[in-house]
Amino acid sequence: MSVKALPQHNRVHNRSLVLQALFHLGAMSRADLARQSGLTRPTVSVLVAELEADGIVSEIGQREDVRVGKPATLVEINADAFHMIVLDLSSADRFVGAVVNLRGEIIERAEIEIDGAVRDDAIARVIRLGERLSALTTRRILGIGVGSPGIVDDQGVVREALHLEWFDLPLKERLKKHFQVPVRVANDANVAALGVHTFRDVPGLSLMVITIEHGVGVGLIIGGSLVEGEQFSAGEIGHVTVDTGSDGESGDLCTCGRRGCLEVVIGARYLSDRIEGLGEADRDAALRTAGRALGVVTAPVISALNLNEVVLSGPAALLDGPFAEAALDTVRSRTLSVVGTGLSLRTSGGDTDLVLLGGASLVLQAELGVS
């Protein structure tokens, strides 16, 4: 059944085209916006006037160039027209948050210790952190973006986050009711992928972000769209078993109850413990073993999707060097040369803000149509 587009739907779409162009390409004239967006000049002029009235864009003066005729007036996004509250709940020991402007620039930061809190006590700490951040800005709040551990559905319900003892928790609705602003909640690895896609210089529209710092997970973006899966558990590779014998009894015990999961092989906490006190040669050998395990698990996914961009996120001391090199070599040795040759596997260089920036991306996409 087809559904006829209403005028207000077209207006929202066209508005997002203008904002998308300004967000990614910077200041430009109304004529440039018309060419870039494919909209007519009168339509662009009306949309820019509306966005100016909302304070989202502003004129910044005339272009300085040598073109014939009257210089064009440039408009750009007013980065501080709104601020966003973003929360990273992925750590096992603290919740981290920030105030972010429309350009993804972090204005203020705050954090709160978890101190073993679970269930409603943990939610209370999330709310307290949000309140602290709200008090740090006088700008209008566009929305709240949250990266949560565990399995999170498209309604912002945390279906399962074991260490916080959250099960079927309507986190989005709880926060929306308290703060009275739009809220978006997604899995932390997915949110990290959005952070890379929106705010970091990675070519193309498809990428995989692998996080190891607080558990092991994957955020996957294909053609510019986040892949969440039928049960919203796409990217849950941490509990793929890679170190079990025929009896299933070898390998370290994982929190899920099984042995030899990828998480206990490459997860930052486990890997740090394993290499502590080792000499350089033994340390590098252990890191290469972990990197090969990751390569074995991800090679089929990379090959099936023909991905060119993979980003490893976690402690640089673990990922840079032998780990990343072994992972890349393993993927290349297990895939066709056309797949491996085009593959770029890079580390995030210890960038700890990816989930925070991804939270901003969630809000920008939902409220302004910018991604």
Side-chain angles (χ1 to χ4, degrees):
M1 181 180 69
S2 62
V3 179
K4 185 177 180 180
L6 299 175
Q8 58 265 37
H9 295 157
N10 292 332
R11 187 167 61 253
V12 169
H13 174 69
N14 292 343
R15 178 180 165 116
S16 74
L17 290 177
V18 170
L19 287 172
Q20 190 92 324
L22 290 172
F23 183 84
H24 289 289
L25 301 176
M28 61 180 70
S29 69
R30 290 165 176 80
D32 291 337
L33 277 171
R35 283 190 289 270
Q36 186 65 37
S37 65
L39 302 173
T40 65
R41 289 195 184 190
T43 297
V44 167
S45 294
V46 170
L47 290 168
V48 168
E50 291 177 358
L51 291 167
E52 281 187 295
D54 291 340
I56 297 174
V57 305
S58 55
E59 293 186 347
I60 60 169
Q62 294 180 333
R63 175 165 38 211
E64 297 180 2
D65 58 21
V66 293
R67 299 182 191 183
V68 177
K70 182 181 177 181
T73 299
L74 302 179
V75 296
E76 70 174 3
I77 289 177
N78 178 3
D80 291 301
F82 288 89
H83 283 167
M84 297 170 281
I85 304 298
V86 293
L87 305 175
D88 177 0
L89 312 183
S90 63
S91 173
D93 55 16
R94 69 190 187 281
F95 296 144
V96 177
V99 177
V100 179
N101 70 14
L102 298 183
R103 280 288 177 198
E105 297 164 337
I106 292 180
I107 308 301
E108 300 284 355
R109 295 177 184 268
E111 62 181 54
I112 189 169
E113 297 296 319
I114 298 175
D115 287 333
V118 296
R119 302 178 190 173
D120 283 347
D121 288 342
I123 298 168
R125 290 173 188 266
V126 174
I127 290 173
R128 199 179 314 155
L129 177 59
E131 290 172 340
R132 286 183 189 174
L133 291 164
S134 296
L136 294 175
T137 178
T138 58
R139 303 288 182 172
R140 294 174 292 174
I141 301 299
L142 184 64
I144 297 175
V146 184
S148 171
I151 297 172
V152 184
D153 70 19
D154 59 351
Q155 299 301 308
V157 175
V158 182
R159 294 189 174 184
E160 180 182 290
L162 293 176
H163 75 279
L164 296 172
E165 297 185 19
W166 287 349
F167 301 97
D168 296 323
L169 168 68
L171 184 58
K172 171 184 170 180
E173 288 304 316
R174 294 280 291 268
L175 295 179
K176 183 178 179 180
K177 181 177 180 181
H178 183 88
F179 290 99
Q180 296 295 302
V181 296
V183 177
R184 293 293 182 273
V185 181
N187 167 268
D188 54 339
N190 288 341
V191 174
L194 289 173
V196 173
H197 176 67
T198 305
F199 294 106
R200 295 296 184 250
D201 185 20
V202 176
L205 293 175
S206 300
L207 72 137
M208 173 191 287
V209 175
I210 303 167
T211 62
I212 74 160
E213 187 153 15
H214 310 297
V216 175
V218 162
L220 191 60
I221 292 178
I222 302 297
S225 298
L226 188 65
V227 177
E228 294 183 289
E230 294 294 333
Q231 284 75 44
F232 307 101
S233 58
E236 290 292 332
I237 67 169
H239 300 290
V240 174
T241 53
V242 294
D243 186 25
T244 60
S246 59
D247 60 357
E249 293 300 323
S250 61
D252 294 331
L253 183 65
C254 181
T255 54
C256 73
R258 294 187 295 178
R259 290 186 176 275
C261 289
L262 184 64
E263 181 158 325
V264 299
V265 176
I266 73 167
R269 176 166 64 91
Y270 298 97
L271 190 53
S272 296
D273 289 346
R274 197 175 304 123
I275 66 174
E276 185 177 3
L278 294 180
E280 183 177 354
D282 289 339
R283 176 184 181 278
D284 288 354
L287 291 173
R288 280 193 293 270
T289 297
R292 282 194 293 271
L294 177 62
V296 168
V297 171
T298 56
V301 181
I302 291 168
S303 184
L305 298 174
N306 191 194
L307 292 171
N308 280 353
E309 299 295 331
V310 175
V311 178
L312 303 181
S313 175
L318 297 177
L319 295 178
D320 289 345
F323 183 104
E325 292 164 5
L328 180 57
D329 289 345
T330 302
V331 172
R332 285 178 171 167
S333 71
R334 289 171 171 261
T335 57
L336 286 174
S337 60
V338 68
V339 175
T341 302
L343 178 63
S344 168
L345 187 149
R346 68 187 78 185
T347 67
S348 64
D351 189 343
T352 59
D353 290 334
L354 294 182
V355 174
L356 296 176
L357 294 177
S361 181
L362 280 176
V363 176
L364 286 171
Q365 188 167 0
E367 302 305 317
L368 300 181
V370 171
S371 61

